[in-house]
Amino acid sequence: MLNKFGKERAELIANYVIETGATVRSAATHFCLSKSTIHKDLAYKLRYLNPALYEKARVVLDQNKLERHIRGGEATKQKYMLKRLKK
């Protein structure tokens, strides 16, 4: 059984992700936790602790998953543009 802190943490993370649209990686940085912990709290624990909040967080996580290839491409583009400007 999860203790009170585990439930509060999962709900706090979920609310942050919903309000900001944060990715798992940025939420992990914000809360000083690992990506695995964030993912486990949102994808597994929250489902049983607060199903309504889980559904809302799931929408944001699914959207981020659909967009991740675009973010990766943009990051690579920026990286090489910076290299070109430094020459």
Side-chain angles (χ1 to χ4, degrees):
M1 189 72 187
L2 268 171
N3 61 18
K4 183 180 177 185
F5 177 72
K7 180 180 180 184
E8 288 175 358
R9 183 180 72 190
E11 290 177 345
L12 180 68
I13 293 167
N15 284 321
Y16 175 77
V17 167
I18 293 165
E19 290 170 8
T20 64
T23 62
V24 170
R25 185 180 299 258
S26 63
T29 301
H30 179 79
F31 289 102
C32 299
L33 297 169
S34 71
K35 292 185 306 181
S36 299
T37 301
I38 299 293
H39 186 264
K40 186 171 280 192
D41 280 358
L42 293 179
Y44 300 108
K45 294 178 183 177
L46 197 61
R47 178 184 295 178
Y48 301 105
L49 297 172
N50 190 334
L53 191 59
Y54 166 79
E55 289 300 326
K56 291 178 185 177
R58 188 82 247 162
V59 169
V60 176
L61 293 176
D62 289 344
Q63 185 63 37
N64 286 338
K65 189 173 182 180
L66 288 173
E67 295 173 354
R68 69 182 172 191
H69 70 282
I70 296 169
R71 284 192 198 98
E74 284 298 316
T76 303
K77 180 180 172 182
Q78 293 296 321
K79 173 183 172 182
Y80 287 106
M81 283 179 64
L82 268 172
K83 278 187 175 182
R84 192 176 328 151
L85 291 174
K86 287 183 180 179
K87 287 184 179 182

